[in-house]
Amino acid sequence: RIIFGLMNEPYDIQTETWLTAANAGITGIRSAGATQLILVPGNGFTGAESWCNAGGYSANSDVMVKVVDPMRNFAFEVHQYYDNAGGKNSDCFNNTLASTTFVPLTIWARSNGFKLFLGEFGAANNSACRFVIQDTLSYLSANSDVYIGFTYWAAGPVWAGVPGD
C-alpha cells in the first residue's frame, strides 16, 4: 500500500501560504492519477495540542478546512510530544493527558468530517510518561472514528543517552 505524505512539519510560514502549497501538492498527486490516501500536515510543526490555536499564525483549524481533494481521500497528520523537546527530555512537561490534549482537535475533526493520523508522538521512558503514552493509545482507540492510525517517534542518534534510553 502507498500513502502520500505532503511534508514533515511545515513552520515559519503563514498558514494560508501552507494551505496553497498543500492544495497544489494534492492537485499534482491527483493529476498524476494517484488515488491513495494523502496525509496533510498543518502549519506550526502540525502540533495536535496547538491545532486550534493561532499562536502567531492563523490557526490550522480556521484555515485547513479549505483543503481541496477531489477524491476526499486525505487525513490531517498531527504530532504531539509530551515534553518541550520532541520526546528527548526525561520528564513530561505536564501531566496533561491525551483525554484533554486532543479534545479540541478531535471535536474539530469530527464536526468537519475529517480523519486524523497521529504521525509522531513520544515521551521519555519513565512511569509518568509511559502513563501519558498509554492514555494516548487509549484515547486514539476510543476515537477510532476520527483517528486512522499512529506512529511512535523514538529513533536516531539524537536519542542516544537520553535518560531511560
Side-chain angles (χ1 to χ4, degrees), residues 25-89:
I26 293 168
T27 297
I29 290 168
R30 297 298 181 224
S31 294
T35 59
Q36 292 88 352
L37 178 70
I38 300 172
L39 297 178
V40 181
N43 191 24
F45 300 100
T46 201
E49 186 173 21
S50 61
W51 190 270
C52 298
N53 303 323
Y57 300 104
S58 299
N60 287 313
S61 60
D62 293 336
V63 177
M64 299 307 286
V65 293
K66 298 173 188 159
V67 165
V68 177
D69 177 4
M71 299 195 75
R72 189 121 172 109
N73 188 20
F74 73 94
F76 288 108
E77 180 178 349
V78 297
H79 298 172
Q80 182 64 47
Y81 291 96
Y82 295 104
D83 67 356
N84 61 358
K88 296 182 282 183
N89 286 343

Side-chain angles (χ1 to χ4, degrees), residues 11-152:
Y11 71 98
D12 203 22
I13 60 172
Q14 295 298 316
T15 308
E16 294 81 0
T17 302
W18 168 240
L19 172 66
T20 300
N23 280 333
I26 293 168
T27 297
I29 290 168
R30 297 298 181 224
S31 294
T35 59
Q36 292 88 352
L37 178 70
I38 300 172
L39 297 178
V40 181
N43 191 24
F45 300 100
T46 201
E49 186 173 21
S50 61
W51 190 270
C52 298
N53 303 323
Y57 300 104
S58 299
N60 287 313
S61 60
D62 293 336
V63 177
M64 299 307 286
V65 293
K66 298 173 188 159
V67 165
V68 177
D69 177 4
M71 299 195 75
R72 189 121 172 109
N73 188 20
F74 73 94
F76 288 108
E77 180 178 349
V78 297
H79 298 172
Q80 182 64 47
Y81 291 96
Y82 295 104
D83 67 356
N84 61 358
K88 296 182 282 183
N89 286 343
S90 61
D91 294 317
C92 294
F93 70 93
N94 62 38
N95 289 324
T96 302
L97 300 176
S99 51
T100 55
T101 300
F102 287 88
V103 169
L105 171 63
T106 306
I107 291 170
W108 173 84
R110 187 175 284 126
S111 68
N112 286 287
F114 294 132
K115 299 294 184 186
L116 300 170
F117 179 79
L118 183 55
E120 291 181 19
F121 72 112
N125 184 12
N126 61 55
S127 60
C129 291
R130 282 192 299 274
F131 181 79
V132 173
I133 295 302
Q134 183 57 52
D135 184 68
T136 300
L137 296 173
S138 296
Y139 186 84
L140 297 176
S141 179
N143 291 279
S144 61
D145 62 310
V146 172
Y147 293 90
I148 63 169
F150 63 87
T151 54
Y152 190 83

